[in-house]
Amino acid sequence: MSHFPHQIHEDFARFKEQHAAYLRGDLDALAFKTMRVPFGVYEQREADTYMVRIKLPGGKITPAQLRQVALLAKEYAHEHLHITTRGGVQLHNVNITSIIDIMSALHEVGLTGRGGGGNTVRNITADPLAGIAQDEAFDLSLHVKALSEKILASTDSYNLPRKYKIAFSSSEADRAHATISDVGFIAKVKDGQCGFALYVAGGMGAKSRLGSLFAEFIPEKEIHLYTQAIKQVFDRHGNRKNKHAARLRFLIEELGEESFRAHVEEELANVKAKGGWEIDLVSSPSVPEKLIPFTPPASHEAWWNRYVFSQKQAGLFGCKVPIYLGDIHFEHALKFADALEAIGEDVVRFNSDQNLYVRNLTPEQLLNLHEVITLLSPDSKLPTLFGDMVACTGAATCQLGIARPRGAVEAIHERLAGVQERYGELDGFKIHLSGCPNSCGKHLVADLGFFGKVARNEGYSYPAYNVVAGGSITGLGSAFAIKCGSVAAFFVPAFVEAVLEEWRKHVKQHASFHAWVTQAGGAKILETILEQFQEVPSFKKDKNPYFDYNCEELFSLKGRGTGECSAGMYDLIESDKKALQTALKEGSTDYKNIRFLSARMLLVTRGEDARDEVRALELFKKHFIETTLLNAYFGTLLEGEADERAVELAEEVLKLYERMDHTFHFAGAKTAQAPNVAEAPKAAFSAVLEKDYRGVACPMNFVKTKNDLSKMQKGEVLEILLDDGAPIDNVPRSVQSEGHKVEILGKEGEAWRVRIIKA
Ligand code: SF4
């Protein structure tokens, strides 16, 4: 039975009532969503299928819990359980009617999804080697448990401006990525006392930020005091209006570090005055014991050398078990649980690299486990590079996904099949992929990272990835991977192979891939390799690049969720911007092209998509010259043959883009510039502006809608007609995510009528 705080049982009872009301049709989907998401229940991309996320503080899972999750996967979730990139576990393809049964079964073994999603304190991650690492300051496993319990019991943990992530690392190796978390602790010993260095406001995604060192050392009993005080600052001052600028890292930038610190000091005093903040733990600094070497049988040598390590406890060993894409079939999980149960309780930890680690085993126990490990993990036979690949779920199930990184990983495996041993010398090399800029695949900490984007060729969209390289996370100075360019999803496997082959030539001369990329010209070489993969065949010649992996439909943003139309729009701008910047950097004299790209780049913000030069120049004149956003001189450059003055135009457009805010307005401009919008009605709720966006493709329909709304007053009503398919799937949710009230009124012929009340 669970030992959850009383609060969790009360919340679950309420959740059950709401679930029943939703199934009866007495509660609308949106109201139910506000309850289910903080319980870790998300709707998948495919309608009416759900994902259940289960928190595992510090990645710790007992064999009995593993068995229970495996049985749930068998009964409710298409047979697999999935290790997440925060070391938790997910069940996919679940029917909404099964949610309560699943949660009840989880509670029976002490697991919960409370705080697994939404604007809550998320699963606390920790060093997978906590308690066994030779380099650790002390064992922090109990600190993770104690803090998780305090947080679960706090009512203010579930309605924050945005998610709040906490990580604990055992040493400067920062294996839990504390230096890039909202709140990160790195274990330290000072004057014989155990405590932590505290990092704050790090994170990946929009405006990724390395954490700031807030305190060199805080005593171990104060971890909840600081976590709570920072949470309260976030709760009070975080941006609740714009979820895209709501994470703690935005707040610290907005306030400035000094002011942020002052707010935290104030809240520290408040939390102290309230009492109950101490964590009653007194740890002892770690004293590694003398290693007892072990020689495995020759048949197991390759595996042992790659994946097995000595613990700080003499005679005990741990082992990393690489899990392909984090997926474990329930039958394998059950066999694994059976084998582990005979050994002990604390024998396995899941980790944010989507792998698991077994621990506290004698060499004999480990050798006996080898058979079931290889069943669970065929990658255990391969160099670590293959098991270390991380990919988020991407567009296959995630509503925010653009690309399908899991398919790309499969394609990389396929391309390198048969030659994997060649990469044994690259052990430790990490390839991470995210399906969108949100970074669930942690691409910024990888040696070679990818995040999904939309690209286009001759007007056709195709899946692509931005490429980053050289990430390095340590308590001695972390660095995110740097951007090197982009590549069509279709070329990812060939590009990866080319990079690995290149790195093999240099690996012996450099301390790390990071050092090679950032200090020894590696970044330049990667850019050169990327250049070989820039020519995407035309749609008519070869349609393959226009499909994503494991997808039979032509690539589109169909089914993409909340707020993501704008991401597609920014991708279109970035694609022209990049081409323009390259032309300027290389001193191109193709002025016709420079003028065309300059004219087209920002048209998307005006709801226009010009495919040819004449139309682009015409529309640019209308939206940017006639509205005086650019002065009349630039209008004269649009006439006649393009000449070298096109460069001036390009520079001016790039500057203008720098001044654009998320509502498409430009700092310093006198008035709102959205064109083509009829005079907005004045009286709230009394008038309806109607727009027909049938035949207008994504994301233009969204941009046009956004432009319409920018001309309207709060409370005024806009009704739009949208095509079936991607438009009706995407636009209403994107508009809603910007705070407007949205109602889909129904179908009119082939189109959908949508009502929007401006917020
Ligand atoms: S990175 Fe993007 S696509 Fe991947 S899981 Fe996160 S939100 Fe979804």
Short mmCIF file of all heavy atoms in Angstrom, two decimals, residues 392-395 398-403 405 433-441 560, ligand 1:
data_model
loop_
_atom_site.label_atom_id
_atom_site.label_comp_id
_atom_site.label_asym_id
_atom_site.label_seq_id
_atom_site.Cartn_x
_atom_site.Cartn_y
_atom_site.Cartn_z
N CYS A 392 13.07 11.75 -28.15
CA CYS A 392 11.75 11.92 -27.54
C CYS A 392 10.72 11.22 -28.43
O CYS A 392 11.05 10.74 -29.52
CB CYS A 392 11.42 13.40 -27.39
SG CYS A 392 11.03 14.18 -28.95
N THR A 393 9.48 11.22 -27.98
CA THR A 393 8.47 10.49 -28.75
C THR A 393 8.15 11.19 -30.08
O THR A 393 7.78 10.53 -31.05
CB THR A 393 7.16 10.32 -27.96
OG1 THR A 393 6.71 11.61 -27.61
CG2 THR A 393 7.38 9.52 -26.70
N GLY A 394 8.33 12.50 -30.12
CA GLY A 394 8.16 13.23 -31.37
C GLY A 394 6.75 13.17 -31.93
O GLY A 394 5.79 12.83 -31.23
N ALA A 395 6.65 13.52 -33.21
CA ALA A 395 5.33 13.69 -33.83
C ALA A 395 4.52 12.41 -33.92
O ALA A 395 3.32 12.46 -34.22
CB ALA A 395 5.50 14.31 -35.21
N CYS A 398 3.42 12.76 -29.78
CA CYS A 398 3.38 14.04 -29.05
C CYS A 398 2.66 15.10 -29.87
O CYS A 398 2.95 15.29 -31.05
CB CYS A 398 4.80 14.50 -28.75
SG CYS A 398 4.86 16.15 -28.05
N GLN A 399 1.76 15.82 -29.20
CA GLN A 399 0.98 16.82 -29.93
C GLN A 399 1.81 18.01 -30.38
O GLN A 399 1.40 18.78 -31.22
CB GLN A 399 -0.17 17.30 -29.05
CG GLN A 399 -1.23 16.24 -28.86
CD GLN A 399 -2.54 16.82 -28.40
OE1 GLN A 399 -2.56 17.90 -27.83
NE2 GLN A 399 -3.62 16.12 -28.64
N LEU A 400 2.97 18.18 -29.79
CA LEU A 400 3.80 19.33 -30.17
C LEU A 400 4.87 18.97 -31.19
O LEU A 400 5.60 19.83 -31.67
CB LEU A 400 4.47 19.93 -28.92
CG LEU A 400 3.53 20.36 -27.80
CD1 LEU A 400 4.32 21.01 -26.67
CD2 LEU A 400 2.49 21.33 -28.31
N GLY A 401 4.97 17.70 -31.50
CA GLY A 401 6.06 17.24 -32.35
C GLY A 401 5.96 17.76 -33.79
O GLY A 401 4.89 17.86 -34.36
N ILE A 402 7.12 18.07 -34.35
CA ILE A 402 7.20 18.41 -35.78
C ILE A 402 7.75 17.18 -36.51
O ILE A 402 7.16 16.70 -37.46
CB ILE A 402 8.13 19.62 -36.00
CG1 ILE A 402 7.58 20.87 -35.31
CG2 ILE A 402 8.31 19.89 -37.50
CD1 ILE A 402 8.53 22.05 -35.31
N ALA A 403 8.90 16.69 -36.03
CA ALA A 403 9.53 15.54 -36.69
C ALA A 403 9.39 14.29 -35.84
O ALA A 403 8.91 14.34 -34.70
CB ALA A 403 11.00 15.86 -36.94
N PRO A 405 11.67 11.76 -34.31
CA PRO A 405 13.05 11.36 -34.02
C PRO A 405 13.24 9.88 -33.76
O PRO A 405 14.32 9.34 -34.04
CB PRO A 405 13.41 12.18 -32.78
CG PRO A 405 12.15 12.70 -32.24
CD PRO A 405 11.15 12.72 -33.35
N LEU A 433 18.02 13.37 -30.04
CA LEU A 433 17.10 14.02 -30.99
C LEU A 433 15.80 14.43 -30.30
O LEU A 433 15.23 13.66 -29.52
CB LEU A 433 16.73 13.08 -32.14
CG LEU A 433 17.87 12.55 -33.01
CD1 LEU A 433 18.41 11.25 -32.48
CD2 LEU A 433 17.38 12.35 -34.44
N SER A 434 15.34 15.64 -30.61
CA SER A 434 14.03 16.11 -30.14
C SER A 434 13.16 16.38 -31.36
O SER A 434 13.67 16.85 -32.39
CB SER A 434 14.17 17.42 -29.34
OG SER A 434 15.02 17.25 -28.24
N GLY A 435 11.86 16.14 -31.19
CA GLY A 435 10.96 16.34 -32.33
C GLY A 435 10.59 17.78 -32.58
O GLY A 435 9.96 18.11 -33.58
N CYS A 436 10.96 18.67 -31.67
CA CYS A 436 10.66 20.10 -31.82
C CYS A 436 11.64 20.87 -30.94
O CYS A 436 12.45 20.24 -30.24
CB CYS A 436 9.20 20.37 -31.44
SG CYS A 436 8.90 20.46 -29.67
N PRO A 437 11.58 22.18 -30.93
CA PRO A 437 12.59 22.91 -30.13
C PRO A 437 12.45 22.73 -28.62
O PRO A 437 13.27 23.22 -27.88
CB PRO A 437 12.33 24.38 -30.53
CG PRO A 437 11.61 24.32 -31.82
CD PRO A 437 10.79 23.07 -31.78
N ASN A 438 11.42 22.02 -28.17
CA ASN A 438 11.21 21.92 -26.72
C ASN A 438 12.25 21.10 -25.95
O ASN A 438 12.24 21.07 -24.74
CB ASN A 438 9.83 21.34 -26.43
CG ASN A 438 8.79 22.43 -26.48
OD1 ASN A 438 9.12 23.59 -26.36
ND2 ASN A 438 7.55 22.06 -26.70
N SER A 439 13.07 20.38 -26.60
CA SER A 439 14.24 19.75 -25.97
C SER A 439 13.98 18.57 -25.05
O SER A 439 14.80 18.27 -24.19
CB SER A 439 15.03 20.77 -25.13
OG SER A 439 15.32 21.89 -25.85
N CYS A 440 12.85 17.88 -25.19
CA CYS A 440 12.65 16.69 -24.34
C CYS A 440 13.72 15.65 -24.65
O CYS A 440 14.05 14.83 -23.79
CB CYS A 440 11.26 16.11 -24.53
SG CYS A 440 9.97 17.31 -24.20
N GLY A 441 14.23 15.64 -25.87
CA GLY A 441 15.32 14.71 -26.20
C GLY A 441 16.69 15.24 -25.79
O GLY A 441 17.70 14.61 -26.08
N ARG A 560 -0.82 18.62 -35.01
CA ARG A 560 0.07 19.28 -34.07
C ARG A 560 -0.76 20.12 -33.11
O ARG A 560 -1.76 20.70 -33.47
CB ARG A 560 1.06 20.15 -34.83
CG ARG A 560 2.20 20.57 -33.96
CD ARG A 560 3.50 20.62 -34.73
NE ARG A 560 4.55 20.80 -33.76
CZ ARG A 560 5.19 21.94 -33.58
NH1 ARG A 560 4.93 22.97 -34.32
NH2 ARG A 560 6.11 22.04 -32.65
S1 SF4 B 1 10.69 17.74 -27.72
FE1 SF4 B 1 8.80 18.41 -28.68
S2 SF4 B 1 8.14 16.62 -29.88
FE2 SF4 B 1 9.61 15.88 -28.38
S3 SF4 B 1 8.29 15.19 -26.68
FE3 SF4 B 1 9.01 17.31 -26.25
S4 SF4 B 1 7.34 18.59 -26.98
FE4 SF4 B 1 7.06 16.56 -27.92
#
